[in-house]
Amino acid sequence: MAVSPQIFPPRKRRPSAGAFIPPKFTDQSLLRSLLILSQEISSLKPLPFLLKRNSLSILRKTKLLAILFDELLRNSIPPLSPALLCFEEMYIVLQRLKTLLEDCSNCSRMWLLFQTDTVSASFHELTLELATLLDIFPAKEVDLAQDVEELFLLIRKQCSQSKPFVDVADKQIRNDVSSMLERIKREIVPDQGKLLEIFTALGLRDFATCKDEMESLEEEVQNQTDDKSKSEVVALIGLVRYAKCVLFGASSSPGSDSRKKKAAATAAAAAEANVPADFRCPISLELMRDPVVVATGQTYDRESISLWIESGHNTCPKTGQALAHTNLVPNRSLRNLIAMWCREQKIPFETADSAHNRVNSVTTNKAALEATKMTVSFLVNKLSVSQSLQATNGIVYELRALAKANSDSRACIGEAGAIPLLVRYLGSDVASELPSLQVNAVTTILNLSILEANKTRIMETDGALNGVIEVLRSGATWEAKGNAAATIFSLTGVNSFRKRLGRKTRVVKGLMDLARAGPTGSKRDALVAILNLAGDRETVGRLVEGGVAEMVNEVMDVLPEEAATILEVVVKKGGLMAVAAACSAIKKLGVLLREGSDVARESAAATLVTMCRKGGYDMVAELAAMPGIERVIWELMGTGTMRARRKAATLLRILRRWAAGLDDFVGGRQSSSVTAVSSDATRTVLQS
């Protein structure tokens, strides 16, 4: 299917010189292409801040070349003329020049500053290649007009006499930045006047340009092949982030983040398409961008499973098995299938390289760490001083973005004492005046809670837990409530905190209410938190008393996988009381067996097995009364996951023994009556 190139983000990897191949054009077409290409290059703007002289020089030369190609098009060049032999090579050189200019225009200014020697050498190398081609060009044979011939000789002379050049001013700025990074390593705070001078010279004159520069640097990480270069880029990110906050203040608007826009576009397009179940992450249920395999063989999206592991879990979310190790192996085959499907569906897709090889995958160096500490110290000090809510909102949003970046940032923010300050902005008084401030505050606490040490800080800070619970119950927006639920989920990663949270009626009720009334995203946040709480048997009793079975029954049509998984855990750990409460869900579980995703069918089968075993005769009778239930179970035995097949086989055995009137229909070996009607294929499935 043909797809418009505008749908996909621009290529982040730069093409090598060898990526350009000679065009297969006719004589006139080749000349016309050379004219168009030279005109395109000459219409480009010179580089505004760095390498200005290099870019101006090459633009002047291509303008003169455009005149030469225009003259050649007017004349009739004989076939197989020696002039045509160098045109293909000239086309490649001009393409490389165009790519180099565009790359310099679009890349990070900070990184370009440190590459001025290399880039200047590239300009010089391409100019010399042009000189070589112009040397072998037989100007006399093509009958050029005298003025054009003189112009040709001038271009050839200029190209042959070209020398590498790096502006002294560019070198000075580079030395200043290097010196500043060295001082930061020694924990010396940069001079604001000097910092402003450097950033002004690079055209980074406000919050927006600094934000764009940070995003360019984050993308630049992907272009580096060694850890040393990646680490240097991360140091520059730290410097730009610090300067952005110190020189230009903060912004509470996340809407300017281009990656957020891309992610939102991807999510919106995926929501409209029918995403195959195998392409969804079992944790987030969203389209996977970077599928990875854990020790149990299950596949998850890297971001979701990393958050799960960083939250203190050592089990596989899908199977519940303990992870022998926490290594994440890229599932490249599945990633390629997802990319192909997205292309067919016209859905933007960010590859694993772009999703994984960002700042988080780089070992932070000393300069980056100290720059982060300085940025955090500046923001926390500003936050501790009384100021307008709007200004406070900008500071809190910066902390929110920083807390999302990496573990070092989360540690720095927690150690700087930001959590008690953030608690101030969780209340309803703040939310009524500026709802986005409450959202930013609770989301910052959520991001901080990913770090184990910060979980303890949150639980021990006066008012922090109560503030999060208050947002969960009466937050100004659904986003605030959902992020409060996600914070509860993160905190329950510690067993002792799970028990403590499970004893709080307000937590249980708040999560139940959000799961019932919230939009889909907030429902999901509440359900995963409830699922984590259900890991404690004592808490299950409170969940059952709070109506978890009835709530699950209500949301099963909207989020069947989460609902079925919760019901499975609650019924398994909650005893007869939970079974009785869940009785009304049997019909919906039966529907899931027939129509649900692989995960939902697996959980539904496991839940029904537990309910039949604990609920006895009446429960099995209600399941058996469902039309076509045996056929559905047979299909699951043939097409479900390995665990689903085992559970389906057990469920079929229970139904058959019940139908045969055996008293021990929930246990024991399969009766002869069942064996008689089972085919060889069925026995094979049962043994699996």
Side-chain angles (χ1 to χ4, degrees):
M1 179 184 295
V3 180
S4 170
Q6 284 78 12
I7 293 175
F8 300 98
R11 176 176 48 210
K12 298 182 178 70
R13 292 283 183 183
R14 298 168 189 148
S16 63
F20 300 104
I21 58 175
K24 300 301 180 183
F25 295 147
T26 61
D27 299 345
Q28 290 297 107
S29 296
L30 179 56
L31 275 173
R32 192 174 295 108
S33 297
L34 282 167
L35 174 61
I36 293 172
L37 181 55
S38 58
Q39 289 173 339
E40 287 176 352
I41 296 173
S42 59
S43 66
L44 295 175
K45 294 181 180 180
L47 300 178
F49 303 106
L50 299 168
L51 298 162
K52 287 185 285 187
R53 178 168 163 178
N54 301 76
S55 59
L56 281 169
S57 175
I58 206 68
L59 291 177
R60 285 194 296 266
K61 291 178 176 64
T62 52
K63 284 181 182 178
L64 298 178
L65 283 174
I67 297 173
L68 171 64
F69 295 136
D70 184 50
E71 175 69 13
L72 291 173
L73 270 174
R74 297 173 187 275
N75 299 336
S76 177
I77 300 178
L80 301 178
S81 166
L84 297 173
L85 299 179
C86 69
F87 283 165
E88 290 185 355
E89 293 299 321
M90 194 172 292
Y91 184 90
I92 294 175
V93 172
L94 290 177
Q95 282 283 18
R96 290 168 60 192
L97 273 172
K98 181 183 178 185
T99 300
L100 181 60
L101 284 166
E102 291 177 341
D103 192 36
C104 291
S105 297
N106 297 328
C107 78
S108 155
R109 296 172 194 175
M110 277 286 182
W111 184 244
L112 182 61
L113 177 66
F114 281 81
Q115 305 301 312
T116 49
D117 289 342
T118 303
V119 177
S120 176
S122 296
F123 275 115
H124 177 61
E125 176 189 346
L126 290 171
T127 303
L128 289 183
E129 289 187 29
L130 270 181
T132 301
L133 293 172
L134 292 173
D135 279 341
I136 64 173
F137 182 79
K140 298 293 185 183
E141 295 183 13
V142 294
D143 191 25
L144 293 174
Q146 183 177 354
D147 56 342
V148 176
E149 184 176 356
E150 292 174 355
L151 188 63
F152 165 77
L153 296 174
L154 175 64
I155 303 170
R156 188 171 65 181
K157 181 179 179 181
Q158 288 180 347
C159 289
S160 61
Q161 293 180 350
S162 173
K163 295 180 180 179
F165 174 81
V166 178
D167 197 301
V168 175
D170 293 352
K171 288 182 179 180
Q172 184 59 51
I173 299 172
R174 183 176 62 197
N175 292 337
D176 289 342
V177 173
S178 297
S179 176
M180 189 167 287
L181 289 174
E182 287 299 321
R183 290 171 64 83
I184 288 174
K185 287 181 183 179
R186 300 197 300 270
E187 303 180 25
I188 301 174
V189 177
D191 176 75
Q192 287 195 26
K194 190 63 176 178
L195 196 62
L196 181 60
E197 180 185 327
I198 292 172
F199 275 63
T200 301
L202 293 174
L204 305 174
R205 299 185 173 120
D206 52 32
F207 179 91
T209 53
C210 284
K211 192 173 182 65
D212 291 341
E213 175 67 10
M214 283 180 59
E215 291 183 13
S216 296
L217 283 168
E218 289 168 1
E219 300 293 353
E220 189 62 50
V221 174
Q222 301 170 58
N223 293 324
Q224 308 311 313
T225 57
D226 61 283
D227 288 343
K228 183 177 182 295
S229 297
K230 291 179 181 180
S231 185
E232 290 172 353
V233 178
V234 173
L236 293 173
I237 293 173
L239 177 63
V240 175
R241 181 185 286 117
Y242 173 78
K244 175 170 65 74
C245 295
V246 172
L247 298 178
F248 309 117
S251 169
S252 59
S253 172
S256 59
D257 192 326
S258 64
R259 288 210 310 274
K260 287 181 180 289
K261 292 179 181 179
K262 291 176 186 176
T266 301
E272 295 178 1
N274 185 18
V275 179
D278 290 340
F279 292 176
R280 292 183 182 272
C281 174
I283 297 175
S284 67
L285 299 185
E286 302 293 342
L287 180 69
M288 288 189 281
R289 293 181 300 163
D290 188 7
V292 293
V293 181
V294 298
T296 58
Q298 301 294 330
T299 297
Y300 301 93
D301 194 42
R302 184 183 295 275
E303 183 177 356
S304 297
I305 192 62
S306 295
L307 179 59
W308 171 268
I309 293 172
E310 288 180 4
S311 297
H313 298 87
N314 62 351
T315 58
C316 173
K318 189 171 181 180
T319 65
Q321 294 176 277
L323 295 173
H325 56 78
T326 57
N327 297 334
L328 304 178
V329 181
N331 190 336
R332 292 188 175 87
S333 297
L334 180 58
R335 182 199 66 189
N336 293 337
L337 289 174
I338 293 173
M340 290 172 59
W341 179 83
C342 286
R343 189 173 292 276
E344 291 173 357
Q345 300 295 323
K346 299 186 179 181
I347 295 175
F349 180 70
E350 193 172 21
T351 64
D353 286 338
S354 59
H356 177 48
N357 292 334
R358 293 196 188 278
V359 182
N360 293 352
S361 64
V362 182
T363 302
T364 308
N365 62 17
K366 176 68 172 173
L369 179 59
E370 292 304 326
T372 298
K373 288 180 179 179
M374 292 175 186
T375 304
V376 169
S377 177
F378 175 81
L379 292 172
V380 171
N381 288 338
K382 292 274 286 185
L383 194 61
S384 63
V385 179
S386 178
Q387 51 193 316
S388 70
L389 288 183
Q390 197 65 47
T392 299
N393 198 20
I395 296 168
V396 174
Y397 176 72
E398 284 301 315
L399 287 171
R400 167 184 174 174
L402 195 55
K404 187 179 180 181
N406 50 55
S407 295
D408 287 332
S409 299
R410 290 188 276 272
C412 291
I413 295 171
E415 292 166 1
I419 294 173
L421 300 175
L422 292 167
V423 172
R424 301 175 185 175
Y425 309 107
L426 298 178
S428 57
D429 55 334
V430 171
S432 61
E433 189 170 346
L434 191 60
S436 61
L437 177 52
Q438 185 188 60
V439 172
N440 285 330
V442 74
T443 307
T444 305
I445 292 176
L446 166 61
N447 293 340
L448 291 175
S449 71
I450 296 172
L451 190 69
E452 196 75 14
N454 284 338
K455 286 181 171 65
T456 302
R457 290 189 178 100
I458 293 169
M459 296 296 288
E460 293 179 351
T461 298
D462 290 340
L465 182 57
N466 287 334
V468 172
I469 295 172
E470 190 59 33
V471 175
L472 172 66
R473 299 191 63 192
S474 57
T477 65
W478 289 119
E479 182 184 3
K481 292 182 177 182
N483 287 344
T487 305
I488 298 295
F489 163 76
S490 179
L491 294 173
T492 55
V494 178
N495 187 53
S496 60
F497 297 161
R498 181 190 305 151
K499 291 179 177 293
R500 180 176 164 186
L501 289 164
R503 295 190 190 104
K504 293 183 177 292
T505 304
R506 291 187 304 155
V507 172
V508 174
K509 188 175 187 308
L511 292 173
M512 294 284 194
D513 292 343
L514 182 60
R516 283 189 171 100
T520 302
S522 298
K523 284 181 187 289
R524 183 178 290 114
D525 290 328
L527 290 176
V528 295
I530 290 171
L531 180 60
N532 242 19
L533 288 175
D536 178 57
R537 187 175 293 275
E538 181 183 342
T539 303
V540 169
R542 294 187 179 85
L543 290 172
V544 173
E545 292 173 4
V548 67
E550 293 82 355
M551 179 275 295
V552 165
N553 202 16
E554 292 175 24
V555 304
M556 195 171 290
D557 294 334
V558 181
L559 295 169
E561 295 187 3
E562 291 92 337
T565 305
I566 289 174
L567 197 58
E568 176 188 351
V569 174
V570 168
V571 167
K572 186 176 181 180
K573 296 189 175 183
L576 292 177
M577 183 179 177
V579 174
C583 182
S584 59
I586 281 187
K587 290 183 180 179
K588 288 192 175 181
L589 289 172
V591 173
L592 278 188
L593 282 183
R594 181 185 300 111
E595 302 174 358
S597 66
D598 287 346
V599 174
R601 294 169 77 196
E602 180 182 307
S603 293
T607 305
L608 287 170
V609 168
T610 304
M611 291 174 68
C612 289
R613 283 175 169 168
K614 292 189 174 183
Y617 186 92
D618 292 339
M619 198 72 71
V620 181
E622 185 170 348
L623 178 63
M626 293 183 63
I629 188 63
E630 283 200 16
R631 181 178 58 81
V632 172
I633 294 173
W634 274 88
E635 290 177 356
L636 184 59
M637 289 168 62
T639 62
T641 64
M642 187 61 68
R643 180 170 180 253
R645 292 181 184 186
R646 291 198 302 269
K647 294 296 182 181
T650 302
L651 201 57
L652 182 61
R653 183 166 61 248
I654 290 173
L655 288 174
R656 291 290 176 81
R657 292 178 71 82
W658 172 85
L662 299 177
D663 293 334
D664 62 337
F665 55 83
V666 296
R669 293 181 176 274
Q670 190 175 16
S671 67
S672 58
S673 60
V674 177
T675 305
V677 297
S678 298
S679 65
D680 293 338
T682 306
R683 284 197 295 272
T684 302
V685 172
L686 290 174
Q687 291 169 2
S688 67

